[in-house]
Amino acid sequence: KQEVTQIPAALSVPEGENLVLNCSFTDSAIYNLQWFRQDPGKGLTSLLLIQSSQREQTSGRLNASLDKSSGRSTLYIAASQPGDSATYLCAVRARTNAGKSTFGDGTTLTVKP
Amino acid sequence: KAGVTQTPRYLIKTRGQQVTLSCSPISGHRSVSWYQQTPGQGLQFLFEYFSETQRNKGNFPGRFSGRQFSNSRSEMNVSTLELGDSALYLCASSWGQGGSDTQYFGPGTRLTVL
């Protein structure tokens, strides 16, 4: 059974700082890993999708890496801004039962002005 | 292109009632998945539909059911509501089946059971 863990559960940083969010998963036989952000009471916004054959993906100030063999992914946010404050979730799609995404519990990020 | 839409956005029901939630995927997307989000359990997979067929199902009781129509719109139904069914219900759409595509989520339906 796939399990996804995100550490830390909460993170508070001053504006302008670079930061890394972590995601680990137990079954390395994955299709892909997707990072989302969720604002309070809202749906999920897709940030980056990394296929199992890829090592990283970049979008603007965001960079996500994937190390399938060790079961880890990181989301790097450069030059953080108060608008980045949200909960960040990672989701893994395993090769067995690929229609299902398994989510971590998220990291709640607060960027202080 | 319009995003994933979900209706209604908010619902209040009482125990024992039933409820139907609706999800319209992004135009051209044929896969729709449903998730339940609660503070205690996080995001839990309910089921996935592709081309009007349920392809995957999570570990929820039979009170939770769904269907998909020929235009890819999907509905989920919960019968005999319990207090523990209070949650944010999210649907996600993607282009194809198989898990290789980006999932796009709707804003969710907030269900409160009294």
Side-chain angles (χ1 to χ4, degrees):
Chain A
K1 177 189 170 186
Q2 178 75 270
E3 292 182 0
V4 180
T5 304
Q6 292 187 248
I7 294 174
L11 182 63
S12 181
V13 301
E15 181 177 3
E17 194 161 295
N18 302 325
L19 59 102
V20 174
L21 306 180
N22 298 292
C23 172
S24 61
F25 47 95
T26 55
D27 185 352
S28 62
I30 66 170
Y31 248 124
N32 57 47
L33 184 145
Q34 193 166 353
W35 282 94
F36 297 88
R37 71 172 277 168
Q38 185 175 32
D39 294 287
K42 302 292 179 64
L44 277 64
T45 300
S46 177
L47 297 174
L48 290 164
L49 173 74
I50 310 178
Q51 302 292 355
S52 62
S53 58
Q54 298 174 320
R55 294 301 299 267
E56 65 178 83
Q57 281 285 344
T58 298
S59 176
R61 295 183 294 109
L62 305 179
N63 176 278
S65 68
L66 175 65
D67 184 341
K68 211 173 50 169
S69 61
S70 67
R72 294 187 180 186
S73 175
T74 61
L75 179 67
Y76 174 83
I77 303 177
S80 58
Q81 304 169 357
D84 295 331
S85 297
T87 295
Y88 290 80
L89 295 145
C90 69
V92 171
R93 280 183 157 183
R95 288 198 171 271
T96 53
N97 201 8
K100 166 189 173 182
S101 287
T102 302
F103 282 82
D105 289 335
T107 294
T108 299
L109 172 66
T110 302
V111 181
K112 298 179 179 178
Chain B
K1 219 178 210 185
V4 179
T5 58
Q6 292 186 246
T7 57
R9 294 293 312 280
Y10 302 91
L11 266 178
I12 299 176
K13 293 285 187 179
T14 56
R15 279 182 298 174
Q17 288 187 309
Q18 76 162 20
V19 66
T20 300
L21 312 182
S22 179
C23 172
S24 293
I26 291 171
S27 178
H29 285 193
R30 294 189 294 165
S31 176
V32 173
S33 299
W34 288 88
Y35 294 83
Q36 180 196 66
Q37 186 176 32
T38 59
Q41 298 296 319
L43 272 151
Q44 303 275 308
F45 172 77
L46 281 157
F47 23 66
E48 181 206 15
Y49 287 88
F50 181 83
S51 292
E52 302 178 65
T53 302
Q54 186 180 91
R55 302 291 180 168
N56 289 283
K57 190 176 191 304
N59 296 324
F60 279 82
R63 301 185 296 107
F64 291 81
S65 63
R67 59 179 176 167
Q68 186 180 34
F69 302 96
S70 58
N71 62 358
S72 295
R73 190 177 69 86
S74 178
E75 288 181 347
M76 68 162 280
N77 184 76
V78 188
S79 62
T80 320
L81 284 165
E82 300 177 359
L83 295 178
D85 297 334
S86 295
L88 180 65
Y89 289 88
L90 295 162
C91 87
S93 79
S94 57
W95 181 79
Q97 187 198 13
S100 62
D101 304 314
T102 299
Q103 282 192 301
Y104 297 93
F105 280 77
T109 293
R110 172 75 62 184
L111 172 64
T112 301
V113 182
L114 302 176

